[in-house]
């Protein structure tokens, strides 16, 4: 299928519920637990949410060469725009040629692609990837490319480690039922359906052998209870666990779009 998602590391096809690649174990950056939405520190899922997110951080998008909701024709530009029922994510290289990252109907997927690229550009600069901001000769370009590769490798390893730690801590997440009450385990914490379409944190599960009460990781309408992942409690947990504001700290006056590798496809 044209919009099939694949692992960026080994090319294996990824299902909509895959948190990690079934072949190599790399994290799936397009997996968004519980359907996160919003414009604070939570991942945006629409073009409007992405634009509002950037506005809230005071990002000078034109200077940064990111064009949201715009089909920008000029060289050296990242962007996303809607055309009919399709969403297009692109990169215009230095020579004016275009590399299309995504062209399909999934807005959340498209927005996440550009969001991840925006975060990557930030982290490269935060880790000293901007240097002098000059790329006028081949001699200066080679060391920049090598250092950029090292930075990307470090960032990838860091994200993999963070994912592994989170994965271990949440391996027992899911719904548990005593027959009278529905519970959800999130990390080391327990939450109980209050019966009023909301969930409240509780000290523990009412039985030591809680594993035998496990009923699944995805909500089932046949259960006597509500969906934890549609609750305000879940939204609060995602707010506290998503990208922190420190990830976006940057003096945008120093942003130099010349620091980006504009000759690569992405």
């Amino acid at each position: 299928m044209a919009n099939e998602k694949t692992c960026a590391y080994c090319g294996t096809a990824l299902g909509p519920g895959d948190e990690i690649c079934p072949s190599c174990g790399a994290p799936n950056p397009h997996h968004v637990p519980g359907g996160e939405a919003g414009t604070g520190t939570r991942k945006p899922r629409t073009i409007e949410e992405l634009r509002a997110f950037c506005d809230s951080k005071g990002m000078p998008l034109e200077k940064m060469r990111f064009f949201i909701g715009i089909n920008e024709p000029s060289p050296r530009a990242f962007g996303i725009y809607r055309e009919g029922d399709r969403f297009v994510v692109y990169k215009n290289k230095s020579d004016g040629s275009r590399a299309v990252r995504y062209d399909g109907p999934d807005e959340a997927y498209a927005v996440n692609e550009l969001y991840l690229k925006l975060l990557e550009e930030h982290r490269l600069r935060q880790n000293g990837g901007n240097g002098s901001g000059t790329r006028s000769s081949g001699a200066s370009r080679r060391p920049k490319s090598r250092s950029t590769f090292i930075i990307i490798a470090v960032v990838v390893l860091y994200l993999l480690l963070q994912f592994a730690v989170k994965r271990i801590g949440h391996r027992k997440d899911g719904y548990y039922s005593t027959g009278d009450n529905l519970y959800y385990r999130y990390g080391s914490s327990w939450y109980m359906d209050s019966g009023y379409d909301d969930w409240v944190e509780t000290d523990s599960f009412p039985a030591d052998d809680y594993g035998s009460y496990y009923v699944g990781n995805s909500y089932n309408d046949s259960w006597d209870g509500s969906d934890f992942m549609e609750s305000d409690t879940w939204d609060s947990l995602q707010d506290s666990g998503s990208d922190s504001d420190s990830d976006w700290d940057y003096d945008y006056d120093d942003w130099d779009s010349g620091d980006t590798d504009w000759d690569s496809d992405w």
Side-chain angles (χ1 to χ4, degrees):
M1 295 176 62
N3 64 335
E4 184 180 59
K5 304 174 183 65
T6 58
C7 176
Y9 301 93
C10 70
T12 298
L14 299 173
D18 289 334
E19 294 185 26
I20 62 173
C21 174
S23 294
C24 69
N28 176 10
H30 314 300
H31 174 78
V32 185
E36 291 180 6
T39 59
T41 57
R42 297 162 61 189
K43 290 183 181 179
R45 292 174 57 82
T46 68
I47 290 177
E48 289 303 317
E49 287 177 1
L50 181 58
R51 184 185 291 113
F53 172 84
C54 294
D55 288 345
S56 72
K57 303 299 181 185
M59 298 180 186
L61 292 176
E62 187 170 352
K63 178 180 180 179
M64 296 165 65
R65 304 303 293 168
F66 277 82
F67 296 86
I68 301 174
I70 301 172
N71 183 7
E72 173 62 34
S74 63
R76 297 193 171 195
F78 293 104
I80 182 174
Y81 66 94
R82 180 172 186 167
E83 187 171 288
D85 60 354
R86 294 168 29 247
F87 298 89
V88 181
V89 182
Y90 62 88
K91 174 185 179 180
N92 296 341
K93 302 181 183 181
S94 296
D95 62 3
S97 63
R98 171 167 291 189
V100 175
R101 179 71 172 183
Y102 176 76
D103 183 345
D106 192 334
E107 183 175 13
Y109 179 92
V111 167
N112 196 52
E113 287 291 287
L114 194 62
Y115 175 86
L116 291 174
K117 173 53 67 174
L118 188 59
L119 181 57
E120 178 185 314
E121 291 292 310
H122 267 265
R123 286 176 174 164
L124 287 176
R125 287 163 173 78
Q126 286 175 325
N127 286 282
N130 59 330
S132 65
T134 303
R135 285 188 154 186
S136 57
S137 68
S140 63
R141 190 181 296 261
R142 287 192 190 92
K144 175 73 74 174
S145 298
R146 189 178 300 110
S147 63
T148 297
F149 175 80
I150 293 173
I151 291 170
I152 291 175
V154 170
V155 170
V156 169
L157 288 173
Y158 171 78
L159 291 176
L160 286 171
L161 178 61
Q162 291 292 100
F163 178 83
V165 171
K166 181 178 179 181
R167 182 74 172 174
I168 292 172
H170 289 272
R171 67 187 184 280
K172 295 182 180 179
D173 284 7
Y175 292 90
Y176 297 76
S177 176
T178 61
D180 295 323
N181 293 298
L182 186 63
Y183 293 81
Y184 192 92
R185 178 179 173 127
Y186 186 80
S188 59
S189 300
W190 286 97
Y191 298 86
M192 183 180 72
D193 186 350
S194 67
Y196 298 96
D197 291 329
D198 199 8
W199 291 71
V200 295
E201 188 170 5
T202 183
D203 292 337
S204 62
F205 190 78
D208 292 335
D209 58 335
Y210 61 83
S212 61
Y213 294 87
Y214 178 77
V215 291
N217 191 50
S218 299
Y219 178 70
N220 191 310
D221 290 333
S222 65
W223 297 339
D224 186 15
S226 60
D227 188 350
F228 180 68
M229 293 184 181
E230 293 294 332
S231 68
D232 292 338
T233 302
W234 172 263
D235 288 342
S236 297
L237 289 171
Q238 301 314 298
D239 276 341
S240 63
S242 56
D243 291 323
S244 65
D245 287 336
S246 62
D247 285 336
W248 299 98
D249 288 343
Y250 189 80
D251 182 358
Y252 294 105
D253 291 337
D254 294 334
W255 191 283
D256 185 351
S257 60
D259 295 328
T260 300
D261 181 5
W262 291 109
D263 296 325
S264 66
D265 285 341
W266 188 247

